[in-house]
């Protein structure tokens, strides 16, 4: 898989409620390590989320620093460029990845927020000698919208817009990458 001198990172870029947790658990069962400190189960995800608590918190911090959360419908490309030019923030991100992967040559990360923050993460990972593999699980947007309505009381049409924002950002920002 890729250049032997590089480390491999599998990034699961998928919209909330699109099967990203099940998909991430599946690749973990195939032998790709995950964080040791994962978000636990919830009433809407009984087997767990299979995502790092630390990366989840870091991504929420990035979003809140620009007055957003995961439900933003605007492009965050310019904000991600700003994050990427902040040497302290980049150092925090790479230190976080290094702690989470614990020296494993291959590692997987998943947080649906990464879809809209991927320009930042892509830059961090490329500058730090990672082979990036992008995995994009897809689910019918209507099903996602209905699931978001049930879980978050988000209107059906806002759910469709959120699905589109996350999926189009994932596709666009990973277009030239291994997918």
């Amino acid at each position: 898989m890729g250049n032997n001198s590089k480390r491999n990172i599998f990034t699961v870029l998928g919209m909330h409620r699109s099967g990203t947790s099940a998909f991430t658990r599946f690749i973990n069962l195939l032998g790709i390590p995950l964080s040791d400190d994962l978000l636990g189960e919830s009433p809407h995800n009984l087997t767990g989320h299979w995502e790092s608590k630390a990366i989840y918190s870091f991504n929420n911090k990035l979003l809140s620093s620009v007055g957003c959360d995961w439900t933003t419908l605007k492009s965050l490309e310019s904000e991600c460029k700003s994050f990427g030019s902040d040497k302290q923030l980049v150092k925090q991100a790479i230190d976080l990845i290094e702690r989470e992967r614990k020296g494993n040559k291959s590692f997987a990360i998943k947080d649906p927020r990464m879809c809209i923050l991927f320009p930042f993460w892509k830059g961090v990972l490329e500058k730090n000698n990672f082979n990036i593999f992008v995995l994009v699980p897809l689910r019918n947007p209507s099903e996602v919208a209905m699931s978001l309505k049930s879980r978050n009381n988000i209107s059906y049409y806002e759910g469709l817009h959120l699905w589109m924002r996350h999926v189009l950002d994932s596709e666009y920002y990973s277009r030239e990458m291994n997918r």
Side-chain angles (χ1 to χ4, degrees):
M1 270 182 231
N3 180 335
N4 287 334
S5 67
K6 288 189 175 185
R7 296 145 306 159
N8 298 312
I9 193 154
F10 295 83
T11 56
V12 178
L13 297 182
M15 173 58 186
H16 301 259
R17 313 305 301 156
S18 290
T20 57
S21 297
F23 191 82
T24 303
R25 178 60 176 144
F26 175 73
I27 63 174
N28 176 241
L29 289 170
L30 291 175
I32 304 298
L34 305 173
S35 170
D36 288 338
D37 192 20
L38 300 172
L39 292 174
E41 71 239 14
S42 70
H44 295 279
N45 211 335
L46 298 176
T47 61
H49 295 270
W50 303 98
E51 65 190 72
S52 158
K53 286 180 185 177
I55 291 173
Y56 164 86
S57 294
F58 186 84
N59 285 337
N60 276 335
K61 183 178 86 172
L62 289 178
L63 290 170
S64 69
S65 76
V66 294
C68 295
D69 64 17
W70 70 271
T71 63
T72 188
L73 291 173
K74 72 175 198 161
S75 170
L76 296 177
E77 186 171 13
S78 64
E79 288 84 349
C80 285
K81 285 180 184 174
S82 177
F83 297 151
S85 64
D86 182 331
K87 291 183 184 346
Q88 180 73 12
L89 205 51
V90 170
K91 182 177 179 352
Q92 288 174 9
I94 199 59
D95 288 349
L96 174 60
I97 291 292
E98 291 300 337
R99 276 192 314 273
E100 292 290 295
R101 78 176 187 90
K102 294 188 173 191
N104 291 305
K105 182 169 171 64
S106 293
F107 183 71
I109 55 175
K110 169 253 182 190
D111 177 9
R113 292 152 196 81
M114 291 186 80
C115 296
I116 56 179
L117 294 170
F118 195 60
F120 168 72
W121 283 105
K122 178 181 172 186
V124 166
L125 296 169
E126 286 176 341
K127 288 177 192 170
N128 288 279
N129 206 33
F130 279 92
N131 277 323
I132 306 168
F133 296 89
V134 176
L135 308 166
V136 184
L138 294 171
R139 181 180 180 192
N140 181 312
S142 183
E143 292 175 8
V144 170
M146 289 185 293
S147 183
L148 289 171
K149 183 166 180 47
S150 172
R151 184 185 79 173
N152 302 92
N153 201 29
I154 291 174
S155 79
Y156 178 79
Y157 292 106
E158 184 180 358
L160 290 176
H161 285 119
L162 286 168
W163 180 90
M164 188 169 56
R165 167 93 278 149
H166 282 70
V167 170
L168 291 179
D169 280 359
S170 296
E171 191 286 323
Y172 181 74
Y173 296 127
S174 67
R175 191 169 280 175
E176 304 298 322
M177 306 186 79
N178 296 310
R179 292 192 286 192

